[in-house]
Amino acid sequence: MAFSKSQLHKFADLIKIDISDEKLEQMNIDSVIEWIDKLKAIDTRGVEPMLSPATHNLPRRADTVTDGGIRDAVMANAPDKSGVSRGYFAVPKVMDGD
């Protein structure tokens, strides 16, 4: 399937790129289209889709929900200790009430 220069310029205009005639000739678009046509001709019936050709058998840990158990250690890092006793960080006001 061969594309004319006017068709290629129309495609370029649709995808909002500016390309010269010289650059179009260098790109050899027709060979890419031929390659895609060859891929389309491959019979893939019965082949399950996959995300990656590599198998990933990574170790997994149990997904258990916890509170982290380090609240006091985290709160010890608070620069302003006024909110620590109530379990939150005190921060400077960033918005006016106006």
Side-chain angles (χ1 to χ4, degrees), residues 48-73:
E48 291 292 320
M50 62 180 152
L51 297 175
S52 170
T55 57
H56 299 284
N57 296 324
L58 300 175
R60 297 178 184 225
R61 62 176 171 78
D63 189 15
T64 55
V65 178
T66 67
D67 65 353
I70 58 170
R71 176 178 176 237
D72 294 334

Side-chain angles (χ1 to χ4, degrees), residues 71-72 74-92:
R71 176 178 176 237
D72 294 334
V74 172
M75 296 307 289
N77 292 321
D80 181 354
K81 304 293 184 195
S82 62
V84 170
S85 64
R86 288 172 278 193
Y88 63 85
F89 289 103
V91 297

Side-chain angles (χ1 to χ4, degrees), residues 1-11 24 30:
M1 167 187 273
F3 290 103
S4 67
K5 281 186 184 179
S6 64
Q7 288 174 317
L8 292 174
H9 280 294
K10 184 176 180 180
F11 294 148
L24 281 175
D30 292 331

Side-chain angles (χ1 to χ4, degrees), residues 6-23:
S6 64
Q7 288 174 317
L8 292 174
H9 280 294
K10 184 176 180 180
F11 294 148
D13 185 50
L14 289 172
I15 60 174
K16 306 295 185 212
I17 61 172
D18 186 26
I19 193 160
S20 65
D21 288 337
E22 296 83 27
K23 193 70 169 173

